[in-house]
Amino acid sequence: MFIPLYDTNRLRHIRLQYVTIGLIVANALVFLATTIGGENFTNAAVLGLGFIPSVVHDKVELSPEFVVIPESLSYLTYSFLHADIFHFGGNMLFLWVFGDNVEDALGHLRYLIFYLLCAVAGAFFQGLMAWDSQTPLIGASGAIAGVVAAYLILYPRVKVWVLAFARIPLRIPAFIPLILWILFQVVMFAAGGENQISWSCHIGGIIAGSILVLILRSRGVPLFAGADGEPDPTPTVQQAPVPTEPPVDDASQQAPQWGRGATSPRD
């Protein structure tokens, strides 16, 4: 539908989005490691670090050779694994375009907490919707969905460059592609389509991001900012000037008896 490319939203409270950059680097390193490690290593990583609802809910016991972390940590670790370059690239592109301004609005530490909690919420919602599922959940989509929801609430009218239908470049307000993206997730979730994409994980991230941004944003950061990233200015009402009488010059008001100002009888 829409591929985000760039936004025109400058940073105002931080100098560098190093948490966003760090998250992208961490995801890239994990993806590189699983790619280089080969198929067996990748499968072991997915089973050991992915979120498997039936395992977390003690319905199924994971084979001991795949147990590398406590089961509860998979609520986080799953979000650093990706299936292929398109899965990884798409998530990181969304994070790069929208994550820096959400980090700017929340601050570095609160943004990191926000991101991780959105990832947890995505896995949690997936677990609720598929309690007995033995399919591992992987990918940063839950956290990214939270970032998208937060950006929509913070900067809906900031202009973004997107590729419409993967080929037409457009510069449009952010609320257009982001609302359409969120509506698509909701429709697919309501339609019951899980297949290879966990729409429920996306919904969990969207809900968490929408709530957490209201709680964690820095003091003074507005919601629904204007087109330049600033809140719409409050209009100033100018009062019409009140007419005043000119000062009276007593001397000028007295009619002279002689000269040009004098009046004379006419015939």
Side-chain angles (χ1 to χ4, degrees):
M1 188 183 298
F2 290 100
I3 300 176
L5 300 176
Y6 175 74
D7 68 349
T8 57
N9 198 1
R10 63 183 177 84
L11 300 177
R12 291 168 178 78
H13 308 287
I14 60 174
R15 292 186 178 182
L16 181 67
Q17 64 277 31
Y18 59 75
V19 175
T20 296
I21 295 173
L23 289 169
I24 293 174
V25 170
N27 278 275
L29 291 175
V30 173
F31 179 72
L32 184 62
T34 54
T35 302
I36 294 176
E39 185 177 356
N40 291 335
F41 181 81
T42 300
N43 291 336
V46 168
L47 290 172
L49 302 176
F51 177 78
I52 307 175
S54 60
V55 172
V56 173
H57 299 148
D58 296 324
K59 298 291 184 179
V60 174
E61 189 172 341
L62 192 64
S63 182
E65 66 265 25
F66 298 122
V67 178
V68 293
I69 59 170
E71 295 168 357
S72 58
L73 283 183
S74 65
Y75 278 100
L76 284 176
T77 55
Y78 85 96
S79 65
F80 292 92
L81 299 168
H82 290 87
D84 53 46
I85 188 63
F86 300 104
H87 188 204
F88 166 76
N91 279 338
M92 293 305 102
L93 180 59
F94 270 75
L95 183 57
W96 174 253
V97 174
F98 302 119
D100 59 339
N101 295 113
V102 179
E103 180 176 351
D104 185 51
L106 272 60
H108 300 301
L109 179 59
R110 286 192 295 270
Y111 172 68
L112 178 60
I113 295 171
F114 167 89
Y115 182 92
L116 297 177
L117 287 179
C118 287
V120 170
F124 179 78
F125 203 72
Q126 165 69 4
L128 285 181
M129 296 297 104
W131 190 268
D132 297 326
S133 174
Q134 297 184 34
T135 303
L137 172 68
I138 61 172
S141 300
I144 302 303
V147 171
V148 168
Y151 194 100
L152 176 61
I153 292 173
L154 291 168
Y155 310 109
R157 291 185 294 279
V158 168
K159 297 297 179 65
V160 295
W161 279 99
V162 300
L163 278 181
F165 307 107
R167 61 183 62 202
I168 305 173
L170 296 174
R171 184 173 181 264
I172 55 179
F175 72 86
I176 296 176
L178 297 188
I179 286 179
L180 288 175
W181 185 87
I182 290 175
L183 286 177
F184 181 72
Q185 313 308 307
V186 174
V187 169
M188 294 304 295
F189 170 72
E194 287 295 328
N195 202 10
Q196 294 185 353
I197 299 178
S198 174
W199 305 108
S200 55
C201 178
H202 297 183
I203 297 299
I206 290 169
I207 295 172
S210 301
I211 296 172
L212 290 172
V213 69
L214 304 178
I215 300 171
L216 297 177
R217 79 184 194 276
S218 299
R219 180 178 300 178
V221 172
L223 301 177
F224 309 108
D228 60 352
E230 297 287 358
D232 290 334
T234 303
T236 55
V237 179
Q238 293 186 350
Q239 206 169 14
V242 179
T244 57
E245 294 290 338
V248 177
D249 186 349
D250 292 339
S252 66
Q253 296 299 317
Q254 295 177 359
Q257 295 180 357
W258 309 102
R260 298 177 64 183
T263 58
S264 58
R266 292 178 182 273
D267 293 336

